[in-house]
Amino acid sequence: MAAKLSGSGGGKDEAIADINVTPFVDVMLVLLIIFMVAAPLAAVTVKVALPPAVAKPGTNPPKPVYISIQNSGRIFIQDFPSDIATLGDDLRKQLGSRRNPTKERIFIRADKDVIYGDFMGVMNMLQDNGFYSVALVGEDDNK
C-alpha cells in the first residue's frame, strides 16, 4: 500500500485510492497493434471461382448386428438362437458376405439382471473369434 507524504508534518499516513491504468493501456495498445497487423493476413486476397461440390450419396450402412443375452442366459444373434460354443460361427453366418466380418461393430444387448459371468463369456468368445469392435446397448433414461 502506498503512502502519501504530506508536507505539514502531521505524521498521518493516508492511503492512495488512485488506480494506475498505464500498464493496462500499454497492454491494450500492444493487442490493438497485433490485431491490426494480423487481420489482413487472415483474409483471403486471391479470388478464385470454385466449382460446386457434388458429392455422391453414400451407400446405406450395413444393418447392425445385435447379440442379445436374456436373463436366463440364452443368447440370440438378431432373432436367431445361438449358444456360447457356436457363437463365433453363428455370427460369421449372420454377417454373411460382408467385406471384413471381423471389423464389423457388434452390438450387445443384455438384460439388466443377467449374470456377469454369462456376459463375460460372450465377450471372451467374441474376442477369441476376432471380433474386437463391440458396443454395449443401454436404455435411454431421459424422463
Side-chain angles (χ1 to χ4, degrees), residues 10-76:
K12 291 186 177 182
D13 293 336
E14 295 180 19
I16 299 175
D18 296 334
I19 296 175
N20 188 1
V21 295
T22 305
F24 177 73
V25 171
D26 290 344
V27 169
M28 287 296 128
L29 288 174
V30 169
L31 288 174
L32 178 66
I33 291 170
I34 289 172
F35 285 123
M36 287 174 59
V37 170
L41 297 176
V44 178
T45 57
V46 178
K47 301 291 182 194
V48 177
L50 296 174
V54 180
K56 295 179 182 177
T59 59
N60 292 335
K63 184 179 176 185
V65 176
Y66 290 98
I67 294 178
S68 302
I69 307 171
Q70 288 183 333
N71 188 10
S72 62
R74 293 191 61 202
I75 300 170
F76 291 86

Side-chain angles (χ1 to χ4, degrees), residues 3 16-17 23 33 53 70 72 94 105 116 118 131 140-141:
I16 299 175
I33 291 170
Q70 288 183 333
S72 62
Q94 187 67 32
R105 176 167 285 175
Y116 185 71
D118 293 342
F131 296 99
D140 192 10
D141 197 21

Side-chain angles (χ1 to χ4, degrees), residues 95-110:
L95 290 171
S97 62
R98 296 192 185 178
R99 273 190 306 199
N100 195 350
T102 57
K103 298 285 183 187
E104 293 289 329
R105 176 167 285 175
I106 309 299
F107 294 90
I108 296 181
R109 300 171 56 232

Side-chain angles (χ1 to χ4, degrees), residues 78-125:
Q78 302 295 67
D79 294 330
F80 305 103
S82 181
D83 61 6
I84 196 73
T86 61
L87 183 64
D89 294 332
D90 292 342
L91 191 54
R92 282 189 182 81
K93 286 178 192 173
Q94 187 67 32
L95 290 171
S97 62
R98 296 192 185 178
R99 273 190 306 199
N100 195 350
T102 57
K103 298 285 183 187
E104 293 289 329
R105 176 167 285 175
I106 309 299
F107 294 90
I108 296 181
R109 300 171 56 232
D111 190 274
K112 66 180 178 179
D113 296 325
V114 75
I115 297 172
Y116 185 71
D118 293 342
F119 175 77
M120 285 308 298
V122 170
M123 292 291 290
N124 291 334
M125 190 55 68

